[in-house]
Amino acid sequence: MTKEETYKIIYQTVSLLVDGEQDSIANMANTVAVIKENFDFLWVGFYIVRGDRLKLGPFQGPVACTEIRRGKGVCGTAWERAESIVVPDVHKFDGHIACSSKSKSEIVIPVFKDREVVGVLDVDSEYLNAFDETDEKYLTETVKLINF
Ligand code: SME
């Protein structure tokens, strides 16, 4: 199966799971589970905006830092810029926060509510250069299914 086909299945599965469920924590939890089950990513999870920092939300993978300040790391930078960031090599991203030494590449997708960033979806891979525009496109569409 191609990456695109896998993402289409993820999108359909998440649509069914969030249908009729309004609780964003429950929906984030199932969304990360579906993504993690379908790809061999190291870590998939949400960070949620709480004041001036991000707090760890539903995730699957190794334990992670519980908070990240606005503008810090890849997650805090994606929040500040209100845009997705694809990091082919985390060691080349200035200020990258290493929650796991196994992580080599990363993608962060901001989550919006009423045009405000209310959180981010963070996905880490053990492999260099694991993410591209296809991941960005489908992960962006998938998080939009959740009502925040
Ligand atoms: N690498 C992230 C921190 C979160 S962990 O990867 C789960 C960052 O630089 O923001």
Side-chain angles (χ1 to χ4, degrees):
M1 214 184 299
T2 67
K3 182 155 89 170
E4 200 146 14
E5 285 165 342
T6 304
Y7 271 121
K8 283 182 179 162
I9 288 170
I10 290 172
Y11 184 86
Q12 285 161 7
T13 310
V14 172
S15 323
L16 291 171
L17 287 167
V18 305
D19 187 34
E21 176 55 69
Q22 291 303 311
D23 190 285
S24 61
I25 298 282
N27 287 332
M28 285 188 274
N30 268 336
T31 300
V32 298
V34 172
I35 297 169
K36 187 81 166 61
E37 287 274 294
N38 281 279
F39 285 111
D40 65 344
F41 296 142
L42 173 69
W43 196 93
V44 184
F46 285 91
Y47 278 92
I48 302 161
V49 172
R50 297 269 186 259
D52 65 346
R53 56 199 69 195
L54 293 164
K55 276 283 178 185
L56 182 61
F59 74 96
Q60 296 216 351
V63 293
C65 359
T66 56
E67 61 176 48
I68 298 170
R69 286 176 187 245
R70 191 165 197 265
K72 299 293 176 190
V74 187
C75 292
T77 305
W79 173 21
E80 191 172 60
R81 293 184 194 162
E83 61 187 34
S84 298
I85 302 180
V86 174
V87 183
D89 180 349
V90 296
H91 296 113
K92 293 186 180 150
F93 186 96
D94 207 19
H96 167 259
I97 300 164
C99 290
S100 166
S101 57
K102 285 185 181 171
S103 175
K104 293 208 172 65
S105 61
E106 181 166 3
I107 184 168
V108 179
I109 309 284
V111 172
F112 292 90
K113 179 185 174 136
D114 304 330
R115 297 192 188 167
E116 285 283 300
V117 179
V118 293
V120 299
L121 172 68
D122 180 17
V123 185
D124 286 69
S125 171
E126 288 183 68
Y127 306 101
L128 285 170
N129 209 12
F131 305 103
D132 57 22
E133 317 77 55
T134 303
D135 301 271
E136 184 178 345
K137 174 182 164 192
Y138 284 99
L139 290 172
T140 301
E141 289 308 309
T142 302
V143 297
K144 280 187 192 160
L145 292 167
I146 304 175
N147 208 0
F148 284 91

